[in-house]
Amino acid sequence: MRKEDIEYYLREKLIRLRTPDSSTIKTLIDSAGEKAKAAKMLQVDENTATLIFLGLYESMRQLGDAKWWQIGYEALSHEPSMRILQESNITEKTKLAKLDMFRRIRNDSNYRGQKITVAEAKEILEVWESCSHEIIEELKKKLIAPP
């Protein structure tokens, strides 16, 4: 994450300083995996699209939160959580450009009652399947050993 971006997020109170915490990072990784596993158990259709989308979105956000904790910050908004994921050094990095769009879809659903489509649920599922494993491995490699 660029220094200017971190300064902006701090100034706008979208993140705050924290001590890197392996326990919190591990909990976020585990929780993201559990939510995604539950979302993936459902068949994607008009009745489940919103539930699947929101579960996978929340899983991605938690991975972003874990990345912030690793560098000594806590995200206080979804925007920096999704933004930091876009800097992940993974094979399918270009797919992470969709994360901000997913954030807007989630906001439209949660705050304006917009229905999430089957296509949108399939799209976030495809990004999760393509990207999450490498992001999780990247996070686990950088876990700090507890004192």
Side-chain angles (χ1 to χ4, degrees), residues 90-92 95 125-134:
I90 63 169
T91 307
E92 298 285 348
K95 291 183 180 181
L125 178 59
E126 196 273 326
V127 171
W128 174 264
E129 292 294 337
S130 299
C131 301
S132 64
H133 303 292
E134 282 187 82

Side-chain angles (χ1 to χ4, degrees), residues 67-93:
K67 287 180 76 87
W68 278 109
W69 275 95
Q70 279 189 330
I71 62 171
Y73 297 94
E74 177 184 10
L76 303 174
S77 167
H78 291 214
E79 180 184 343
S81 299
M82 297 312 236
R83 176 67 184 97
I84 199 168
L85 285 175
Q86 293 176 353
E87 297 186 2
S88 299
N89 187 23
I90 63 169
T91 307
E92 298 285 348
K93 182 176 180 148

Side-chain angles (χ1 to χ4, degrees), residues 5 7 9 24 38 41 46 54 61 67 73 76 78 80 85-86 91 95 111 123 134:
D5 293 332
E7 289 170 355
Y9 289 139
T24 299
M41 291 174 75
E46 289 181 9
L54 294 177
R61 185 198 57 78
K67 287 180 76 87
Y73 297 94
L76 303 174
H78 291 214
L85 285 175
Q86 293 176 353
T91 307
K95 291 183 180 181
Y111 305 124
E123 189 171 16
E134 282 187 82

